């Protein structure tokens, strides 16, 4: 599950760079994880880590 | 490209912050209807099924609640800025199509348990055929310039794109063990959104740009 969370974060990060309105889909994922999941903190962190990896790598490149 | 942080920030964030402040909030409904009505005329069966799926969320169907929430957030996404350009609606397609096909599979499974796949296939086939008939000009012999002009002006992106999404997702939904079985929550919330997002925001947007560039024309999208 954590690996899927990380992959989702990676793809979310790329999506936000292509079309910034994808951020609302990210908000939905985080909201769902906040409300529903028993392992919400690790999952949220894995999604955030994936998204952060893309954004930091892109920002670092530029 | 290194050292271009200022340009990168302006392209990804700064320009968009100015872009979204041009339309008055009072004009949002008019802008929405002008963009939505033409595609509603073609895809009303899909929206009807999706609406029934949303209504199902009030009957304790957790998977429909998740999809309804996803749709709500996606609608917020297309409403940002108030432009409601045709291709913006791509963002709601995944949730709309999943709501529509999930409801269709659920209903046919309950009403015709032995023939649910066949009945679903017939209904989806009719919906796709209706869309193809409505957009038949796209598959005809008109010139590329004429098609491109009509493509952008009247039914931007929606006809081939929505049918493509339906074609891709419906077979997946027919594997009911994934979307209606015990793993449906993890399937819908963790597996579907990411690849669908990436497919829509990269493939469709990229394809449109390639199409426009190949035609030798430039449109501000």
């Amino acid at each position: 599950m954590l690996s899927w969370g990380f992959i989702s974060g990676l793809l979310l990060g790329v999506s936000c760079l292509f079309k910034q309105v994808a951020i609302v889909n990210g908000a939905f994922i985080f909201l769902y994880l906040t409300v529903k999941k028993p392992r919400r903190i690790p999952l949220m962190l894995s999604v955030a880590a994936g998204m952060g990896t893309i954004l930091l790598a892109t920002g670092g490149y530029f | 490209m290194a050292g271009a942080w200022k340009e990168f920030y302006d392209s990804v964030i700064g320009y968009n912050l100015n872009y979204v402040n041009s339309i008055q909030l009072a004009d949002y409904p008019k802008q929405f209807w002008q963009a939505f009505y033409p595609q509603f005329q073609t895809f009303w069966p899909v929206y009807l099924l999706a609406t029934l799926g949303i209504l199902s969320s009030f009957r304790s169907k957790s998977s429909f609640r998740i999809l309804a929430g996803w749709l709500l957030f996606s609608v917020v996404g297309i409403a940002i800025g108030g432009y409601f350009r045709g291709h913006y609606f791509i963002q709601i397609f995944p949730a709309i199509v999943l709501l529509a096909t999930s409801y269709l599979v659920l209903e046919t499974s309950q009403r015709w348990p032995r023939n649910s796949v066949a009945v679903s296939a017939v209904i989806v086939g009719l919906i796709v055929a209706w869309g193809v008939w409505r957009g038949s000009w796209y598959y005809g012999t008109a010139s590329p310039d004429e098609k491109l002009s009509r493509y952008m002006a009247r039914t931007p992106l929606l006809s081939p794109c929505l049918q493509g999404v339906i074609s891709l997702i419906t077979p997946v939904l027919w594997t009911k063990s994934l979307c209606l079985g015990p793993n449906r929550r993890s399937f819908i919330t963790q597996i579907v959104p990411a690849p669908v997002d990436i497919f829509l925001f990269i493939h469709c947007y990229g394809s449109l740009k390639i199409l426009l560039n190949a035609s030798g024309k430039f449109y501000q999208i």
Side-chain angles (χ1 to χ4, degrees), chain B residues 105-139:
Chain B
V105 169
L106 182 67
E107 279 298 305
T108 54
S109 299
Q110 290 175 346
R111 293 174 186 268
W112 303 281
R114 292 183 179 180
N115 302 310
S116 62
V117 172
V119 175
S120 298
V122 169
I123 294 173
V124 169
L126 289 172
I127 292 173
V128 173
W130 165 253
V132 171
W133 181 76
R134 287 277 304 177
S136 56
W137 60 268
Y138 180 81
Y139 309 98

Side-chain angles (χ1 to χ4, degrees), chain B residues 69-108:
Chain B
W70 187 14
L71 176 61
L72 176 65
F73 275 73
S74 300
V75 169
V76 171
I78 67 169
I80 292 173
Y83 289 95
F84 297 103
R85 302 204 195 285
H87 66 281
Y88 288 12
F89 286 83
I90 292 172
Q91 192 169 3
I92 67 170
F93 288 175
I96 287 286
V97 172
L98 283 168
L99 273 166
T101 48
S102 296
Y103 178 79
L104 182 62
V105 169
L106 182 67
E107 279 298 305
T108 54

Side-chain angles (χ1 to χ4, degrees), chain A residues 1 4 8 11 14-15 17-22 24-25 27-29 31-33 37 43 58-59 61-62, chain B residues 1-5 8 12 16 66 69-70 73 77 80 91 185-186 189-190 194-195 197-198 201-202 205:
Chain A
M1 284 300 176
W4 275 114
S8 296
L11 296 175
V14 175
S15 297
L17 290 176
F18 275 85
K19 290 293 279 182
Q20 290 71 38
V21 291
V24 293
N25 292 56
F28 173 69
I29 291 173
L31 178 66
Y32 178 78
L33 292 178
K37 282 294 176 182
L43 279 167
T58 308
Y61 175 77
F62 282 97
Chain B
M1 298 291 279
W5 170 255
F8 171 74
V12 177
N16 292 311
I66 295 167
W70 187 14
F73 275 73
I80 292 173
Q91 192 169 3
R185 293 183 186 176
S186 59
T189 59
Q190 292 180 19
D197 272 357
I198 208 72
F201 288 114
I202 294 178
Y205 188 69

